[in-house]
Amino acid sequence: MEASRGEESEAPEMFSRSKQARFLRSCLRDALPEQMAGLDCNRMTIAYFCVSGLDLLGELTEEDMNATTKWVLSLQVCVSAVASWVLLSPPDTWSIIPKTSTAPGGFRGSTFFAASQESGREAWDLGHIAMTYTALAVLKICKRGLEDVNVAGNA
């Protein structure tokens, strides 16, 4: 932006590593800013960007990695009864046929979608492929192995 005659132009604000790290850490650990509240269902993706940013800044601490790992693993879907989708006639009609199966595996995007077993909706509590990928990426950035991930259920 050009300065008008007689006005001084403001110098651009410099990048502050500590302010950026504080912001990323607050989004990772605390509630999202009000403008981002609608993104809570995609919190795993936000966690990915926060963890990646902290790692790139050299600000990712052991405490961050431990807390994030615990949170990510808490979003793993582990249910024993799942619903099977079967296409019926006409082709645009879907029906649910309950069956017993092994845990479907995968990860939710946040606790927003979690269904308790008491609610009777656990058949709908399924992992999401994009959130599963993002969760695995977060675990790797946090230098964690996959020994606590239900790998058989994610195949």
Side-chain angles (χ1 to χ4, degrees), residues 107-154:
F107 288 84
R108 300 174 196 91
S110 73
T111 55
F112 179 82
F113 294 111
S116 67
Q117 291 185 345
E118 296 84 37
S119 71
R121 298 183 318 217
E122 66 272 1
W124 301 101
D125 191 13
L126 303 173
H128 185 281
I129 189 70
M131 297 303 124
T132 298
Y133 171 82
T134 307
L136 296 174
V138 168
L139 291 173
K140 294 309 286 179
I141 293 168
C142 289
K143 299 172 179 62
R144 300 300 188 258
L146 302 180
E147 58 274 353
D148 293 323
V149 175
N150 178 5
V151 177
N154 288 317

Side-chain angles (χ1 to χ4, degrees), residues 20-86:
Q20 186 65 39
R22 190 170 49 244
F23 174 75
L24 292 171
R25 196 167 279 117
S26 73
C27 289
L28 187 61
R29 293 184 178 173
D30 304 324
L32 294 173
E34 184 179 343
Q35 304 89 332
M36 297 170 63
L39 297 175
D40 193 60
C41 60
N42 294 312
R43 192 151 183 115
M44 186 69 73
T45 303
I46 293 169
Y48 168 78
F49 286 109
C50 291
V51 169
S52 297
L54 288 168
D55 189 38
L56 287 170
L57 292 171
E59 299 284 338
L60 187 62
T61 66
E62 193 66 33
E63 181 183 351
D64 294 330
M65 290 189 285
N66 289 338
T68 302
T69 298
K70 183 178 178 182
W71 177 77
V72 167
L73 291 174
S74 77
L75 295 177
Q76 187 170 202
V77 177
C78 294
V79 294
S80 57
V82 298
S84 174
W85 290 93
V86 177

